[in-house]
Amino acid sequence: LLPQRLREDVLWSESFEDLIPVGGRFLLLRKTARMEDHMVVDVKTRHHWPLVLMDSPYARTKLLAHVTVSDSPSLLLRVVAPTGERLLWIDRLEEDAQVEDVTQLIPKHPTVMAWDPSSRRHLFVLQDTTLVRVDLVKKAIYPTFLEGVRGYGIFDRMLYALMIDGTLLRMDLDGKEMERLLDTAVPIRSLFGLQGAFRIMVGGKVAILFLGERGELLAGRLPYRFVDRDVVGVDWLPHRVLLWTSEQVGVLEFPTAPSGEEVIESLPELQWVLKRRVNLEQGFWVFHGSHAVCRDDTQVFLLELDPHGTTQLVPLIQVKKHSSVMYSEETGALYYLDRSSGALRSIQLLPAR
């Protein structure tokens, strides 16, 4: 995969404290907590601009937290202003993007917030066991859109909801065309427990994953429960899931659709390909799943996954403490903040598409 010498570039020599990936294409670079000290970079065009202008009413507000969704250019920000905490919505992270205060639309103390990347009109908020739908265009709130919910996820303009009675529902974003995917014939209560919210992730027609608050990982296919706790994150490919805890990296393989010749359908298989790490926080598939990039605290390394079970580990770079990285399949590059200077740099792993 890798050439003998990897090309590294300095994209921005100024010093930054953190890097926030947005939608696989944008980087939000942070100097201080103030919004006026955040810059946006489009890694495809290498163009950059300030998150807000200096005369913006939000310029001096402090950013406390953010919510992003995979493959979405939108951003939900929790900030503190002189009037108190506010929630700000940016529909698309582009130059001169409009920042909208949506505080009055969002219920207090939400558990999970998400939206459909391809249709960003509706924001869904899980509050206790009630799913609230917010129409960002009409500025309308549907406070009891769906009740009795343990967790939910959005895929391909469809909403998936795990109910407290153990059923799994799929419906459109208006709550119509509802169908039941999983019923009480499956021992749901023993699998999911009695408490805790779940985030649902859908891998096309292959599988549905459930990631719990304690890091438990389950799937909608036998044997259902794959990891009991401590999963930090996952990255999808067709039939293949990269997952990691703070100490180890695993690959969950789902069998392809049966040809009809099999007497018994193959079961998904989890293999731990790397163990005894310190603080794994991020992971990305590379080159159609033959390799993976992972960040363990400040160390970023490449994993070469041999189909026969051996894994080669190649150290790549050291990054700034407490900062994230982003790999772009489109550009073939890994973006990070230099460990010493805080400058934005890239390392080219594959040719750009």
Side-chain angles (χ1 to χ4, degrees):
L1 168 71
L2 295 177
Q4 292 295 318
R5 184 178 180 84
L6 296 175
R7 192 184 84 230
E8 296 190 51
D9 293 322
V10 177
L11 304 182
W12 205 334
S13 59
E14 293 186 37
S15 180
F16 296 94
E17 291 299 312
D18 197 8
L19 174 161
I20 300 171
V22 181
R25 174 170 174 172
F26 300 99
L27 305 173
L28 183 59
L29 303 178
R30 172 189 179 115
K31 286 185 177 180
T32 75
R34 293 194 305 269
M35 286 187 63
E36 64 183 356
D37 290 332
H38 287 72
M39 303 296 294
V40 181
V41 177
D42 183 336
V43 300
K44 185 176 180 180
T45 64
R46 294 201 175 186
H47 185 52
H48 59 81
W49 57 90
L51 177 63
V52 296
L53 299 177
M54 299 295 288
D55 59 356
S56 166
Y58 306 111
R60 293 189 175 276
T61 59
K62 292 185 178 181
L63 178 58
L64 300 178
H66 66 277
V67 179
T68 61
V69 168
S70 296
D71 300 321
S72 170
S74 303
L75 196 59
L76 184 65
L77 305 173
R78 183 163 65 90
V79 304
V80 59
T83 55
E85 288 193 11
R86 315 297 295 173
L87 289 171
L88 306 179
W89 172 258
I90 300 176
D91 183 67
R92 182 174 177 83
L93 200 59
E94 57 190 9
E95 195 166 6
D96 299 326
Q98 181 180 354
V99 180
E100 184 179 0
D101 191 329
V102 294
T103 308
Q104 299 304 316
L105 298 175
I106 309 296
K108 295 185 181 298
H109 312 299
T111 307
V112 183
M113 294 187 285
W115 56 89
D116 184 357
S118 61
S119 177
R120 303 182 297 276
R121 172 175 178 168
H122 297 123
L123 180 67
F124 292 87
V125 182
L126 184 61
Q127 186 183 38
D128 295 324
T129 59
T130 300
L131 188 62
V132 180
R133 190 183 75 165
V134 177
D135 189 320
L136 295 170
V137 175
K138 293 184 178 180
K139 305 296 185 291
I141 306 172
Y142 303 85
T144 56
F145 178 78
L146 192 63
E147 296 184 285
V149 179
R150 287 283 303 273
Y152 76 100
I154 302 170
F155 175 77
D156 198 20
R157 297 177 182 264
M158 298 296 287
L159 176 73
Y160 295 73
L162 176 68
M163 311 302 290
I164 58 176
D165 66 359
T167 56
L168 178 65
L169 303 178
R170 178 171 61 191
M171 67 198 75
D172 64 20
L173 300 183
D174 291 320
K176 302 175 182 177
E177 300 181 11
M178 186 180 297
E179 61 178 313
R180 181 172 295 186
L181 302 181
L182 202 64
D183 58 33
T184 51
V186 178
I188 295 296
R189 291 185 181 274
S190 62
L191 289 172
F192 291 92
L194 299 177
Q195 295 181 332
F198 283 82
R199 182 161 61 98
I200 300 177
M201 298 162 285
V202 183
K205 298 180 180 179
V206 178
I208 299 175
L209 291 182
F210 306 86
L211 182 59
E213 291 179 327
R214 295 180 295 275
E216 56 267 58
L217 184 70
L218 300 94
R221 295 174 60 172
L222 286 169
Y224 299 122
R225 194 175 187 95
F226 290 92
V227 185
D228 288 331
R229 57 179 300 165
D230 298 335
V231 173
V232 176
V234 303
D235 192 21
W236 272 99
L237 277 179
H239 303 286
R240 213 168 196 212
V241 177
L242 179 73
L243 61 100
W244 57 96
T245 70
S246 62
E247 298 179 345
Q248 53 188 349
V249 178
V251 175
L252 179 58
E253 297 271 5
F254 287 93
T256 56
S259 64
E261 299 179 359
E262 295 88 344
V263 177
I264 300 176
E265 182 181 354
S266 300
L267 297 178
E269 182 179 352
L270 173 61
Q271 179 184 9
W272 294 105
V273 296
L274 185 68
K275 300 181 180 181
R276 295 187 297 276
R277 305 309 300 177
V278 177
N279 185 26
L280 287 161
E281 296 181 275
Q282 290 182 277
F284 307 88
W285 281 122
V286 178
F287 202 53
H288 311 297
S290 64
H291 296 70
V293 165
C294 297
R295 179 174 66 84
D296 183 1
D297 197 19
T298 62
Q299 173 72 58
V300 178
F301 52 85
L302 183 78
L303 288 176
E304 183 175 354
L305 305 172
D306 190 296
H308 300 293
T310 58
T311 300
Q312 301 294 326
L313 187 149
V314 181
L316 290 178
I317 49 172
Q318 292 278 345
V319 303
K320 190 178 182 69
K321 188 77 172 176
H322 305 305
S323 70
S324 298
V325 302
M326 185 182 85
Y327 173 72
S328 168
E329 193 73 33
E330 188 170 9
T331 66
L334 179 75
Y335 301 89
Y336 65 98
L337 299 182
D338 183 81
R339 185 178 187 180
S340 302
S341 67
L344 176 63
R345 300 176 65 98
S346 68
I347 181 170
Q348 198 72 35
L349 302 182
L350 292 171
R353 287 180 177 176

